[in-house]
Amino acid sequence: MKLTVAGEKKEYEEGLTVAKLIEIENVENPLYVTVSVNEEFLESGTFDTHVLKDGDEVEFLFFMGGGRI
């Protein structure tokens, strides 16, 4: 199956969950990642059960806090 991950088209096995994709892609800080599939944000509690489909577009997002020093 073909997915676009972080703007790059790649081949993956069928039945891939978001959690497994995070593992395969070696995402830094997986506990703090936000994932969008086809421009819709997923709840982190669904990563283990959300199965990706051929043609899905996946983005990994990290929100960072900041402020003045």
Side-chain angles (χ1 to χ4, degrees):
M1 129 177 107
K2 292 181 183 176
L3 301 175
T4 303
V5 178
E8 189 177 331
K9 293 183 191 253
K10 297 182 176 185
E11 265 310 307
Y12 297 93
E13 63 186 48
E14 293 288 330
L16 184 67
T17 64
V18 171
K20 186 66 176 171
L21 179 64
I22 289 170
E23 184 181 318
I24 290 169
E25 289 294 321
N26 200 26
V27 171
E28 276 188 51
N29 299 316
L31 295 176
Y32 300 106
V33 68
T34 299
V35 179
S36 72
V37 177
N38 302 324
E39 298 183 1
E40 290 191 27
F41 292 104
L42 299 181
E43 294 287 331
S44 60
T46 66
F47 291 177
D48 287 330
T49 57
H50 187 98
V51 178
L52 297 163
K53 298 180 288 302
D54 188 53
D56 279 349
E57 294 183 17
V58 181
E59 294 290 336
F60 301 120
L61 305 157
F62 298 91
F63 294 99
M64 303 177 106
R68 295 184 148 203
I69 297 177

Short mmCIF file of all heavy atoms in Angstrom, two decimals:
data_model
loop_
_atom_site.label_atom_id
_atom_site.label_comp_id
_atom_site.label_asym_id
_atom_site.label_seq_id
_atom_site.Cartn_x
_atom_site.Cartn_y
_atom_site.Cartn_z
N MET A 1 0.85 -1.16 0.00
CA MET A 1 0.00 0.00 0.00
C MET A 1 0.89 1.23 0.00
O MET A 1 1.97 1.23 0.60
CB MET A 1 -0.91 -0.11 1.23
CG MET A 1 -0.99 1.06 2.13
SD MET A 1 -2.14 0.85 3.48
CE MET A 1 -0.97 0.63 4.79
N LYS A 2 0.44 2.28 -0.66
CA LYS A 2 1.22 3.52 -0.75
C LYS A 2 0.64 4.57 0.18
O LYS A 2 -0.57 4.80 0.19
CB LYS A 2 1.22 4.04 -2.17
CG LYS A 2 1.98 3.16 -3.13
CD LYS A 2 1.97 3.71 -4.53
CE LYS A 2 2.68 2.72 -5.44
NZ LYS A 2 2.66 3.13 -6.83
N LEU A 3 1.52 5.18 0.98
CA LEU A 3 1.15 6.27 1.87
C LEU A 3 2.08 7.45 1.59
O LEU A 3 3.21 7.26 1.16
CB LEU A 3 1.33 5.87 3.33
CG LEU A 3 0.55 4.68 3.87
CD1 LEU A 3 0.98 4.38 5.30
CD2 LEU A 3 -0.93 4.94 3.80
N THR A 4 1.60 8.64 1.88
CA THR A 4 2.46 9.81 1.88
C THR A 4 2.70 10.16 3.34
O THR A 4 1.75 10.48 4.07
CB THR A 4 1.81 10.99 1.13
OG1 THR A 4 1.50 10.58 -0.20
CG2 THR A 4 2.74 12.19 1.09
N VAL A 5 3.95 10.05 3.76
CA VAL A 5 4.32 10.30 5.16
C VAL A 5 5.29 11.47 5.18
O VAL A 5 6.35 11.41 4.57
CB VAL A 5 4.97 9.03 5.79
CG1 VAL A 5 5.40 9.31 7.21
CG2 VAL A 5 3.99 7.86 5.73
N ALA A 6 4.88 12.52 5.88
CA ALA A 6 5.68 13.74 5.97
C ALA A 6 6.09 14.23 4.58
O ALA A 6 7.23 14.61 4.35
CB ALA A 6 6.90 13.52 6.87
N GLY A 7 5.15 14.15 3.64
CA GLY A 7 5.39 14.65 2.29
C GLY A 7 6.11 13.70 1.36
O GLY A 7 6.32 14.03 0.20
N GLU A 8 6.49 12.53 1.84
CA GLU A 8 7.24 11.57 1.03
C GLU A 8 6.39 10.31 0.78
O GLU A 8 5.88 9.71 1.71
CB GLU A 8 8.53 11.18 1.77
CG GLU A 8 9.48 10.36 0.95
CD GLU A 8 10.77 10.07 1.71
OE1 GLU A 8 11.17 10.88 2.57
OE2 GLU A 8 11.36 9.02 1.45
N LYS A 9 6.27 9.92 -0.50
CA LYS A 9 5.51 8.72 -0.84
C LYS A 9 6.34 7.48 -0.54
O LYS A 9 7.50 7.40 -0.92
CB LYS A 9 5.10 8.73 -2.31
CG LYS A 9 4.11 9.82 -2.62
CD LYS A 9 3.65 9.79 -4.06
CE LYS A 9 2.88 11.05 -4.34
NZ LYS A 9 1.49 10.88 -4.48
N LYS A 10 5.70 6.52 0.19
CA LYS A 10 6.41 5.30 0.58
C LYS A 10 5.47 4.11 0.48
O LYS A 10 4.26 4.26 0.50
CB LYS A 10 6.90 5.42 2.03
CG LYS A 10 7.91 6.53 2.25
CD LYS A 10 8.38 6.52 3.70
CE LYS A 10 9.46 7.55 3.94
NZ LYS A 10 9.98 7.45 5.31
N GLU A 11 6.06 2.91 0.42
CA GLU A 11 5.32 1.64 0.39
C GLU A 11 5.34 1.00 1.77
O GLU A 11 6.38 0.95 2.41
CB GLU A 11 6.03 0.66 -0.52
CG GLU A 11 5.67 0.48 -1.95
CD GLU A 11 4.24 0.25 -2.35
OE1 GLU A 11 3.55 -0.64 -1.83
OE2 GLU A 11 3.83 0.97 -3.25
N TYR A 12 4.18 0.50 2.18
CA TYR A 12 4.04 -0.19 3.47
C TYR A 12 3.15 -1.41 3.29
O TYR A 12 2.40 -1.51 2.32
CB TYR A 12 3.42 0.72 4.53
CG TYR A 12 4.24 1.94 4.84
CD1 TYR A 12 4.04 3.13 4.18
CD2 TYR A 12 5.23 1.89 5.81
CE1 TYR A 12 4.80 4.26 4.47
CE2 TYR A 12 6.00 3.00 6.11
CZ TYR A 12 5.77 4.18 5.44
OH TYR A 12 6.54 5.29 5.73
N GLU A 13 3.19 -2.29 4.28
CA GLU A 13 2.33 -3.49 4.26
C GLU A 13 0.90 -3.09 4.58
O GLU A 13 0.65 -2.11 5.28
CB GLU A 13 2.83 -4.52 5.25
CG GLU A 13 2.78 -4.04 6.69
CD GLU A 13 3.39 -5.01 7.68
OE1 GLU A 13 4.51 -5.48 7.42
OE2 GLU A 13 2.74 -5.27 8.70
N GLU A 14 -0.07 -3.85 4.08
CA GLU A 14 -1.49 -3.63 4.37
C GLU A 14 -1.74 -3.86 5.86
O GLU A 14 -1.02 -4.61 6.52
CB GLU A 14 -2.35 -4.60 3.55
CG GLU A 14 -2.32 -4.35 2.06
CD GLU A 14 -3.07 -3.09 1.64
OE1 GLU A 14 -4.04 -2.70 2.32
OE2 GLU A 14 -2.64 -2.49 0.63
N GLY A 15 -2.77 -3.23 6.39
CA GLY A 15 -3.15 -3.44 7.78
C GLY A 15 -2.32 -2.67 8.79
O GLY A 15 -2.37 -2.94 9.98
N LEU A 16 -1.55 -1.70 8.32
CA LEU A 16 -0.65 -0.93 9.18
C LEU A 16 -1.44 0.04 10.05
O LEU A 16 -2.27 0.80 9.56
CB LEU A 16 0.34 -0.16 8.30
CG LEU A 16 1.43 0.65 8.97
CD1 LEU A 16 2.41 -0.27 9.68
CD2 LEU A 16 2.15 1.50 7.94
N THR A 17 -1.17 0.02 11.36
CA THR A 17 -1.80 0.98 12.26
C THR A 17 -0.91 2.21 12.40
O THR A 17 0.29 2.17 12.08
CB THR A 17 -2.03 0.38 13.66
OG1 THR A 17 -0.75 0.08 14.24
CG2 THR A 17 -2.91 -0.86 13.61
N VAL A 18 -1.49 3.27 12.90
CA VAL A 18 -0.72 4.50 13.15
C VAL A 18 0.39 4.22 14.15
O VAL A 18 1.53 4.67 13.97
CB VAL A 18 -1.65 5.63 13.62
CG1 VAL A 18 -0.84 6.83 14.09
CG2 VAL A 18 -2.61 6.04 12.51
N ALA A 19 0.10 3.45 15.20
CA ALA A 19 1.12 3.13 16.21
C ALA A 19 2.31 2.41 15.58
O ALA A 19 3.46 2.71 15.89
CB ALA A 19 0.51 2.28 17.32
N LYS A 20 2.04 1.46 14.70
CA LYS A 20 3.12 0.72 14.04
C LYS A 20 3.91 1.64 13.11
O LYS A 20 5.13 1.54 13.03
CB LYS A 20 2.54 -0.49 13.29
CG LYS A 20 3.60 -1.39 12.71
CD LYS A 20 4.41 -2.07 13.79
CE LYS A 20 5.40 -3.04 13.19
NZ LYS A 20 6.34 -3.56 14.18
N LEU A 21 3.22 2.53 12.42
CA LEU A 21 3.90 3.48 11.54
C LEU A 21 4.83 4.38 12.34
O LEU A 21 5.96 4.64 11.92
CB LEU A 21 2.89 4.32 10.76
CG LEU A 21 3.49 5.36 9.82
CD1 LEU A 21 4.28 4.69 8.70
CD2 LEU A 21 2.40 6.25 9.23
N ILE A 22 4.38 4.83 13.51
CA ILE A 22 5.23 5.65 14.38
C ILE A 22 6.50 4.88 14.73
O ILE A 22 7.59 5.44 14.72
CB ILE A 22 4.45 6.08 15.65
CG1 ILE A 22 3.39 7.12 15.27
CG2 ILE A 22 5.39 6.60 16.72
CD1 ILE A 22 2.42 7.44 16.38
N GLU A 23 6.34 3.60 15.02
CA GLU A 23 7.49 2.75 15.34
C GLU A 23 8.42 2.57 14.13
O GLU A 23 9.63 2.74 14.24
CB GLU A 23 6.98 1.39 15.81
CG GLU A 23 8.05 0.44 16.27
CD GLU A 23 7.45 -0.90 16.69
OE1 GLU A 23 6.40 -0.91 17.35
OE2 GLU A 23 8.07 -1.93 16.33
N ILE A 24 7.84 2.23 12.98
CA ILE A 24 8.62 2.01 11.76
C ILE A 24 9.40 3.26 11.37
O ILE A 24 10.56 3.18 10.97
CB ILE A 24 7.71 1.57 10.59
CG1 ILE A 24 7.18 0.16 10.83
CG2 ILE A 24 8.44 1.64 9.25
CD1 ILE A 24 6.08 -0.26 9.87
N GLU A 25 8.74 4.41 11.48
CA GLU A 25 9.37 5.68 11.08
C GLU A 25 10.29 6.24 12.16
O GLU A 25 10.89 7.30 11.97
CB GLU A 25 8.30 6.71 10.72
CG GLU A 25 7.59 6.39 9.42
CD GLU A 25 8.50 6.47 8.22
OE1 GLU A 25 9.37 7.38 8.15
OE2 GLU A 25 8.36 5.59 7.33
N ASN A 26 10.40 5.52 13.29
CA ASN A 26 11.31 5.93 14.37
C ASN A 26 11.07 7.39 14.78
O ASN A 26 12.00 8.20 14.85
CB ASN A 26 12.76 5.71 13.95
CG ASN A 26 13.68 5.64 15.14
OD1 ASN A 26 13.26 5.29 16.24
ND2 ASN A 26 14.94 5.99 14.93
N VAL A 27 9.80 7.70 15.03
CA VAL A 27 9.41 9.06 15.39
C VAL A 27 10.01 9.42 16.75
O VAL A 27 9.89 8.66 17.70
CB VAL A 27 7.87 9.18 15.43
CG1 VAL A 27 7.44 10.52 16.01
CG2 VAL A 27 7.29 8.99 14.03
N GLU A 28 10.66 10.59 16.79
CA GLU A 28 11.22 11.07 18.05
C GLU A 28 10.08 11.43 19.00
O GLU A 28 9.08 11.99 18.58
CB GLU A 28 12.05 12.33 17.81
CG GLU A 28 13.47 12.05 17.37
CD GLU A 28 14.28 13.33 17.35
OE1 GLU A 28 14.29 14.08 18.35
OE2 GLU A 28 14.90 13.56 16.30
N ASN A 29 10.23 11.13 20.27
CA ASN A 29 9.25 11.45 21.29
C ASN A 29 7.84 11.00 20.92
O ASN A 29 6.92 11.82 20.83
CB ASN A 29 9.25 12.95 21.59
CG ASN A 29 10.58 13.43 22.10
OD1 ASN A 29 11.18 12.79 22.96
ND2 ASN A 29 11.05 14.54 21.57
N PRO A 30 7.63 9.72 20.68
CA PRO A 30 6.31 9.24 20.25
C PRO A 30 5.18 9.52 21.24
O PRO A 30 4.02 9.59 20.84
CB PRO A 30 6.51 7.74 20.06
CG PRO A 30 7.76 7.40 20.78
CD PRO A 30 8.59 8.64 20.83
N LEU A 31 5.51 9.74 22.50
CA LEU A 31 4.47 10.06 23.49
C LEU A 31 3.92 11.47 23.31
O LEU A 31 2.83 11.79 23.79
CB LEU A 31 5.01 9.90 24.91
CG LEU A 31 5.40 8.49 25.32
CD1 LEU A 31 6.02 8.50 26.72
CD2 LEU A 31 4.20 7.56 25.28
N TYR A 32 4.67 12.32 22.60
CA TYR A 32 4.28 13.72 22.46
C TYR A 32 3.91 14.09 21.02
O TYR A 32 3.75 15.27 20.72
CB TYR A 32 5.40 14.64 22.95
CG TYR A 32 5.72 14.38 24.39
CD1 TYR A 32 6.88 13.71 24.76
CD2 TYR A 32 4.85 14.79 25.40
CE1 TYR A 32 7.16 13.46 26.09
CE2 TYR A 32 5.13 14.54 26.73
CZ TYR A 32 6.29 13.88 27.07
OH TYR A 32 6.56 13.62 28.39
N VAL A 33 3.75 13.10 20.16
CA VAL A 33 3.46 13.39 18.76
C VAL A 33 1.95 13.50 18.55
O VAL A 33 1.16 12.80 19.18
CB VAL A 33 4.06 12.32 17.81
CG1 VAL A 33 3.37 10.98 17.96
CG2 VAL A 33 4.03 12.78 16.37
N THR A 34 1.57 14.42 17.69
CA THR A 34 0.20 14.53 17.22
C THR A 34 0.22 14.05 15.78
O THR A 34 1.14 14.38 15.03
CB THR A 34 -0.30 15.98 17.30
OG1 THR A 34 -0.26 16.39 18.67
CG2 THR A 34 -1.70 16.13 16.76
N VAL A 35 -0.78 13.27 15.40
CA VAL A 35 -0.80 12.69 14.06
C VAL A 35 -2.04 13.17 13.33
O VAL A 35 -3.15 13.16 13.89
CB VAL A 35 -0.79 11.15 14.12
CG1 VAL A 35 -0.85 10.56 12.73
CG2 VAL A 35 0.45 10.66 14.86
N SER A 36 -1.84 13.58 12.08
CA SER A 36 -2.99 13.87 11.23
C SER A 36 -2.97 12.89 10.06
O SER A 36 -1.92 12.55 9.53
CB SER A 36 -2.99 15.32 10.73
OG SER A 36 -2.00 15.52 9.77
N VAL A 37 -4.16 12.42 9.72
CA VAL A 37 -4.34 11.54 8.56
C VAL A 37 -5.34 12.24 7.66
O VAL A 37 -6.47 12.54 8.07
CB VAL A 37 -4.85 10.14 8.98
CG1 VAL A 37 -5.10 9.28 7.75
CG2 VAL A 37 -3.85 9.46 9.90
N ASN A 38 -4.90 12.51 6.44
CA ASN A 38 -5.75 13.22 5.48
C ASN A 38 -6.29 14.52 6.08
O ASN A 38 -7.46 14.85 5.96
CB ASN A 38 -6.88 12.33 4.99
CG ASN A 38 -6.35 11.07 4.35
OD1 ASN A 38 -5.33 11.08 3.68
ND2 ASN A 38 -7.03 9.96 4.56
N GLU A 39 -5.40 15.25 6.76
CA GLU A 39 -5.65 16.57 7.35
C GLU A 39 -6.65 16.54 8.51
O GLU A 39 -7.19 17.58 8.88
CB GLU A 39 -6.08 17.56 6.27
CG GLU A 39 -4.99 17.77 5.23
CD GLU A 39 -5.36 18.82 4.19
OE1 GLU A 39 -6.45 19.42 4.28
OE2 GLU A 39 -4.54 19.03 3.28
N GLU A 40 -6.90 15.37 9.10
CA GLU A 40 -7.74 15.27 10.29
C GLU A 40 -6.90 14.74 11.45
O GLU A 40 -6.23 13.72 11.31
CB GLU A 40 -8.93 14.35 10.04
CG GLU A 40 -9.93 14.94 9.07
CD GLU A 40 -11.22 14.16 9.03
OE1 GLU A 40 -11.57 13.51 10.04
OE2 GLU A 40 -11.88 14.21 7.99
N PHE A 41 -6.96 15.44 12.58
CA PHE A 41 -6.18 15.02 13.74
C PHE A 41 -6.80 13.79 14.39
O PHE A 41 -8.02 13.67 14.48
CB PHE A 41 -6.09 16.15 14.77
CG PHE A 41 -5.26 17.31 14.29
CD1 PHE A 41 -5.86 18.47 13.86
CD2 PHE A 41 -3.88 17.21 14.27
CE1 PHE A 41 -5.09 19.54 13.41
CE2 PHE A 41 -3.10 18.27 13.82
CZ PHE A 41 -3.71 19.43 13.39
N LEU A 42 -5.94 12.86 14.82
CA LEU A 42 -6.39 11.65 15.50
C LEU A 42 -6.17 11.80 17.00
O LEU A 42 -5.20 12.43 17.43
CB LEU A 42 -5.58 10.44 15.03
CG LEU A 42 -5.66 10.06 13.56
CD1 LEU A 42 -4.80 8.82 13.31
CD2 LEU A 42 -7.09 9.79 13.14
N GLU A 43 -7.05 11.20 17.77
CA GLU A 43 -6.87 11.12 19.22
C GLU A 43 -5.74 10.11 19.47
O GLU A 43 -5.71 9.05 18.84
CB GLU A 43 -8.15 10.63 19.90
CG GLU A 43 -9.30 11.59 19.79
CD GLU A 43 -9.14 12.80 20.69
OE1 GLU A 43 -8.48 12.68 21.74
OE2 GLU A 43 -9.65 13.86 20.31
N SER A 44 -4.83 10.42 20.38
CA SER A 44 -3.70 9.53 20.63
C SER A 44 -4.15 8.14 21.08
O SER A 44 -3.47 7.16 20.82
CB SER A 44 -2.73 10.14 21.65
OG SER A 44 -3.38 10.36 22.87
N GLY A 45 -5.29 8.04 21.71
CA GLY A 45 -5.80 6.75 22.16
C GLY A 45 -6.25 5.84 21.02
O GLY A 45 -6.51 4.66 21.25
N THR A 46 -6.31 6.37 19.81
CA THR A 46 -6.74 5.56 18.66
C THR A 46 -5.58 5.07 17.80
O THR A 46 -5.81 4.35 16.83
CB THR A 46 -7.72 6.35 17.75
OG1 THR A 46 -7.02 7.45 17.14
CG2 THR A 46 -8.92 6.85 18.52
N PHE A 47 -4.35 5.44 18.15
CA PHE A 47 -3.20 5.07 17.32
C PHE A 47 -3.06 3.56 17.15
O PHE A 47 -2.65 3.09 16.10
CB PHE A 47 -1.90 5.63 17.89
CG PHE A 47 -1.75 7.13 17.83
CD1 PHE A 47 -0.64 7.74 18.37
CD2 PHE A 47 -2.71 7.94 17.24
CE1 PHE A 47 -0.46 9.12 18.32
CE2 PHE A 47 -2.56 9.33 17.19
CZ PHE A 47 -1.44 9.91 17.73
N ASP A 48 -3.39 2.80 18.20
CA ASP A 48 -3.27 1.34 18.13
C ASP A 48 -4.33 0.69 17.26
O ASP A 48 -4.12 -0.43 16.77
CB ASP A 48 -3.35 0.72 19.53
CG ASP A 48 -2.08 0.96 20.34
OD1 ASP A 48 -0.99 1.06 19.74
OD2 ASP A 48 -2.19 1.05 21.57
N THR A 49 -5.45 1.36 17.07
CA THR A 49 -6.55 0.74 16.34
C THR A 49 -6.83 1.37 14.98
O THR A 49 -7.53 0.78 14.16
CB THR A 49 -7.85 0.79 17.18
OG1 THR A 49 -8.14 2.15 17.50
CG2 THR A 49 -7.70 -0.04 18.44
N HIS A 50 -6.32 2.57 14.74
CA HIS A 50 -6.57 3.24 13.46
C HIS A 50 -5.71 2.60 12.36
O HIS A 50 -4.49 2.73 12.36
CB HIS A 50 -6.27 4.73 13.54
CG HIS A 50 -6.68 5.48 12.31
ND1 HIS A 50 -7.87 6.15 12.22
CD2 HIS A 50 -6.06 5.63 11.11
CE1 HIS A 50 -7.96 6.69 11.02
NE2 HIS A 50 -6.87 6.38 10.34
N VAL A 51 -6.36 1.89 11.45
CA VAL A 51 -5.66 1.22 10.35
C VAL A 51 -5.62 2.17 9.16
O VAL A 51 -6.65 2.71 8.73
CB VAL A 51 -6.37 -0.10 9.97
CG1 VAL A 51 -5.68 -0.77 8.79
CG2 VAL A 51 -6.41 -1.04 11.17
N LEU A 52 -4.43 2.35 8.62
CA LEU A 52 -4.23 3.25 7.48
C LEU A 52 -4.66 2.56 6.19
O LEU A 52 -4.57 1.34 6.06
CB LEU A 52 -2.78 3.68 7.42
CG LEU A 52 -2.33 4.50 8.64
CD1 LEU A 52 -0.82 4.55 8.74
CD2 LEU A 52 -2.92 5.90 8.58
N LYS A 53 -5.10 3.39 5.24
CA LYS A 53 -5.56 2.88 3.94
C LYS A 53 -4.66 3.40 2.82
O LYS A 53 -4.04 4.46 2.96
CB LYS A 53 -7.00 3.31 3.70
CG LYS A 53 -7.99 2.76 4.72
CD LYS A 53 -9.40 3.20 4.44
CE LYS A 53 -9.71 4.64 4.72
NZ LYS A 53 -9.53 5.19 6.01
N ASP A 54 -4.63 2.65 1.74
CA ASP A 54 -3.85 3.05 0.57
C ASP A 54 -4.21 4.49 0.18
O ASP A 54 -5.39 4.84 0.10
CB ASP A 54 -4.16 2.10 -0.59
CG ASP A 54 -3.25 2.34 -1.78
OD1 ASP A 54 -2.02 2.35 -1.59
OD2 ASP A 54 -3.77 2.52 -2.90
N GLY A 55 -3.20 5.30 -0.02
CA GLY A 55 -3.41 6.68 -0.44
C GLY A 55 -3.51 7.69 0.69
O GLY A 55 -3.57 8.89 0.44
N ASP A 56 -3.52 7.22 1.95
CA ASP A 56 -3.59 8.14 3.08
C ASP A 56 -2.37 9.05 3.12
O ASP A 56 -1.26 8.66 2.72
CB ASP A 56 -3.68 7.39 4.41
CG ASP A 56 -5.09 6.90 4.73
OD1 ASP A 56 -6.05 7.30 4.04
OD2 ASP A 56 -5.22 6.11 5.68
N GLU A 57 -2.59 10.27 3.61
CA GLU A 57 -1.50 11.22 3.83
C GLU A 57 -1.36 11.42 5.34
O GLU A 57 -2.31 11.81 6.00
CB GLU A 57 -1.81 12.55 3.15
CG GLU A 57 -1.84 12.42 1.64
CD GLU A 57 -2.07 13.75 0.95
OE1 GLU A 57 -1.88 14.82 1.58
OE2 GLU A 57 -2.43 13.71 -0.23
N VAL A 58 -0.16 11.13 5.85
CA VAL A 58 0.08 11.16 7.29
C VAL A 58 1.14 12.21 7.61
O VAL A 58 2.18 12.28 6.94
CB VAL A 58 0.57 9.77 7.79
CG1 VAL A 58 0.79 9.78 9.29
CG2 VAL A 58 -0.41 8.67 7.38
N GLU A 59 0.87 13.00 8.63
CA GLU A 59 1.84 13.99 9.11
C GLU A 59 2.04 13.79 10.60
O GLU A 59 1.09 13.50 11.33
CB GLU A 59 1.33 15.41 8.86
CG GLU A 59 1.23 15.80 7.40
CD GLU A 59 2.56 15.96 6.69
OE1 GLU A 59 3.58 16.23 7.37
OE2 GLU A 59 2.59 15.82 5.46
N PHE A 60 3.27 13.94 11.05
CA PHE A 60 3.61 13.90 12.48
C PHE A 60 3.90 15.33 12.91
O PHE A 60 4.73 16.00 12.32
CB PHE A 60 4.85 13.03 12.72
CG PHE A 60 4.68 11.61 12.25
CD1 PHE A 60 5.52 11.09 11.29
CD2 PHE A 60 3.70 10.80 12.78
CE1 PHE A 60 5.39 9.78 10.86
CE2 PHE A 60 3.55 9.48 12.36
CZ PHE A 60 4.40 8.97 11.40
N LEU A 61 3.21 15.78 13.95
CA LEU A 61 3.36 17.16 14.40
C LEU A 61 3.76 17.19 15.87
O LEU A 61 3.28 16.38 16.66
CB LEU A 61 2.02 17.90 14.23
CG LEU A 61 1.47 17.85 12.81
CD1 LEU A 61 -0.01 18.09 12.82
CD2 LEU A 61 2.17 18.86 11.95
N PHE A 62 4.60 18.13 16.20
CA PHE A 62 5.06 18.32 17.57
C PHE A 62 4.78 19.76 17.95
O PHE A 62 5.20 20.68 17.25
CB PHE A 62 6.56 18.04 17.70
CG PHE A 62 6.90 16.62 17.35
CD1 PHE A 62 7.25 16.26 16.06
CD2 PHE A 62 6.88 15.63 18.32
CE1 PHE A 62 7.56 14.96 15.74
CE2 PHE A 62 7.19 14.32 18.01
CZ PHE A 62 7.54 13.99 16.72
N PHE A 63 4.07 19.96 19.05
CA PHE A 63 3.79 21.31 19.51
C PHE A 63 4.81 21.66 20.58
O PHE A 63 5.09 20.88 21.48
CB PHE A 63 2.36 21.39 20.07
CG PHE A 63 1.35 21.18 19.00
CD1 PHE A 63 0.74 19.95 18.83
CD2 PHE A 63 1.02 22.21 18.12
CE1 PHE A 63 -0.18 19.74 17.82
CE2 PHE A 63 0.10 22.01 17.11
CZ PHE A 63 -0.50 20.79 16.96
N MET A 64 5.37 22.85 20.45
CA MET A 64 6.42 23.26 21.36
C MET A 64 5.97 24.54 22.08
O MET A 64 5.41 25.44 21.46
CB MET A 64 7.71 23.53 20.60
CG MET A 64 8.19 22.34 19.80
SD MET A 64 9.65 22.74 18.87
CE MET A 64 10.83 21.87 19.84
N GLY A 65 6.24 24.55 23.35
CA GLY A 65 5.96 25.75 24.12
C GLY A 65 7.17 26.67 24.09
O GLY A 65 8.26 26.28 23.71
N GLY A 66 6.95 27.83 24.47
CA GLY A 66 8.07 28.76 24.48
C GLY A 66 7.66 30.03 25.19
O GLY A 66 6.55 30.18 25.68
N GLY A 67 8.54 30.94 25.19
CA GLY A 67 8.23 32.21 25.83
C GLY A 67 9.45 33.08 25.88
O GLY A 67 10.49 32.77 25.30
N ARG A 68 9.30 34.12 26.57
CA ARG A 68 10.42 35.07 26.69
C ARG A 68 11.36 34.66 27.81
O ARG A 68 10.94 34.08 28.80
CB ARG A 68 9.88 36.45 26.99
CG ARG A 68 9.06 36.96 25.83
CD ARG A 68 8.62 38.33 26.11
NE ARG A 68 8.56 38.99 24.81
CZ ARG A 68 8.64 40.28 24.65
NH1 ARG A 68 8.77 41.07 25.68
NH2 ARG A 68 8.57 40.78 23.44
N ILE A 69 12.57 35.01 27.63
CA ILE A 69 13.59 34.74 28.66
C ILE A 69 13.91 36.02 29.36
O ILE A 69 14.00 37.06 28.84
CB ILE A 69 14.87 34.14 28.02
CG1 ILE A 69 14.51 32.83 27.40
CG2 ILE A 69 15.95 34.01 29.06
CD1 ILE A 69 15.66 32.16 26.68
#
